[in-house]
Amino acid sequence: MSAAPQRGLPGTRPEGVRDETEAAAHVREMFGRIAPRYDLLNHLLSLDIDKLWRRRVARRFSALLHDPNARVLDLCCGTGDLAFAFRREAPQGAEITGSDFVAEMLVRARAKAAAARADVKFVEADALNLPFADGSFDLVSCAFGIRNLANYERGLREILRVLKPGGAAGILEFAEPPGKMFGAVYRFYFRRILPILGAMISGNASAYTYLPNSVSAFPSPEELKLQFERAGFVEVQFERWTGGIVTLHTGAKSRSKSA
Ligand SMILES: C[S@@+](CC[C@H](N)C(=O)[O-])C[C@H]1O[C@@H](n2cnc3c(N)ncnc32)[C@H](O)[C@@H]1O
């Protein structure tokens, strides 16, 4: 029987790993293995709702995306779907870059960009040690990625570092729905049904056990808001979507040097 996930950890700790280095290696290897079936499973297991969530994030940042001088970074981009949602929102707008530390994900992202003639650049990079100068981006986004970082605080500080003063962050992540009835039904699906379907289709049972475990262990939206503020973000807010299955966290980098 697997140990209960423990909230309040500094970052993700898949079962059996001892420290941050092992956690990052485990996550990298896991996503490398599920990359070939990642899109199919995402859409199937969420009944395509994941597409609506990404479109909604893009609409939220529509004004910025329409600015051809703006620079946008989508962290932990996987096969690129949030970056593509940004591009569709503003075909001639901002310069959009996706980054991820799993090459197998980026191969697929680049193939999708070529097939759709989508102007999005993809870069292999660790979100905890980004190869970008301070103050490079107007918007940094991350969909379903931050929960997988081996150190959440370092991830948030790295986002803040690469943002321009006044720049915005938009972080979409799973959460545990607060409603009693809906929460119970959802937990049954998420903890009992999804791991079975995920294992059958991906051929990787541990990745789809890791998913609900990592959501349970991840800070609640209220806790994550505090972590954003502690990292130095201003105007921090969150909103729950789809009954609280996912949360969009937003924050900004202060324009003043003293903040
Ligand atoms: C659940 S997927 C999300 C992918 C995509 N954003 C989406 O919306 O489908 C998480 C992604 O985060 C990436 N990831 C996890 N830790 C990372 C890190 N430290 N640096 C860069 N990418 C990381 C994984 O490789 C994986 O592609």
Side-chain angles (χ1 to χ4, degrees):
M1 198 165 140
S2 63
Q6 210 187 321
R7 263 201 213 280
L9 292 168
T12 190
R13 292 293 179 270
E15 214 186 321
V17 310
R18 281 171 304 189
D19 56 27
E20 210 174 299
T21 309
E22 285 188 8
H26 181 104
V27 165
R28 194 192 282 247
E29 197 247 346
M30 178 182 72
F31 281 108
R33 271 192 286 140
I34 63 172
R37 294 282 166 99
Y38 179 76
D39 281 346
L40 170 71
L41 272 156
N42 249 358
H43 306 327
L44 196 78
L45 296 176
S46 76
L47 307 174
D48 263 359
I49 300 174
D50 64 313
K51 295 181 184 170
L52 298 179
W53 290 329
R54 293 191 192 82
R55 212 179 303 153
R56 196 165 163 188
V57 177
R59 279 204 306 267
R60 175 59 55 91
F61 293 105
S62 184
L64 195 151
L65 292 166
H66 277 88
D67 177 354
N69 297 316
R71 296 188 73 211
V72 174
L73 174 65
D74 181 37
L75 276 184
C76 302
C77 66
T79 62
D81 281 357
L82 182 57
F84 296 133
F86 288 164
R87 186 73 298 154
R88 278 193 294 275
E89 177 70 22
Q92 311 292 330
E95 179 190 300
I96 298 168
T97 302
S99 73
D100 200 285
F101 73 170
V102 170
E104 293 86 342
M105 287 285 188
L106 295 173
V107 167
R108 282 157 185 88
R110 291 189 186 111
K112 283 159 70 176
R117 292 173 195 274
D119 182 14
V120 179
K121 237 188 334 187
F122 290 101
V123 174
E124 192 172 331
D126 186 341
L128 298 183
N129 189 15
L130 290 169
F132 304 111
D134 298 2
S136 296
F137 297 98
D138 299 275
L139 169 65
V140 176
S141 64
C142 186
F144 312 115
I146 196 153
R147 172 178 38 87
N148 299 296
L149 298 184
N151 189 314
Y152 306 135
E153 186 190 334
R154 192 130 48 85
L156 290 174
R157 290 194 190 281
E158 197 57 354
I159 292 173
L160 199 64
R161 181 184 71 75
V162 299
L163 275 176
K164 295 179 188 175
I171 311 292
L172 189 66
E173 194 45 87
F174 286 115
E176 303 242 284
K180 243 186 169 176
M181 280 285 282
F182 180 63
V185 173
Y186 182 74
R187 272 190 295 280
F188 181 74
Y189 169 72
F190 208 52
R191 291 187 189 157
R192 306 262 174 228
I193 311 288
L194 179 144
I196 296 171
L197 291 177
M200 270 167 30
I201 300 167
S202 73
N204 185 324
S206 64
Y208 288 89
T209 308
Y210 166 77
L211 172 56
N213 284 346
S214 64
V215 174
S216 297
F218 192 62
S220 68
E222 291 81 0
E223 287 162 347
L224 193 62
K225 180 173 186 280
L226 286 175
Q227 292 208 8
F228 265 74
E229 288 166 345
R230 259 185 247 130
F233 284 91
V234 296
E235 297 162 32
V236 182
Q237 292 179 2
F238 69 84
E239 49 193 85
R240 299 178 201 269
W241 292 353
T242 319
I245 295 174
V246 298
T247 306
L248 177 69
H249 293 263
T250 53
K253 181 168 176 172
S254 170
R255 287 177 195 280
S256 82
K257 283 198 176 131
S258 59

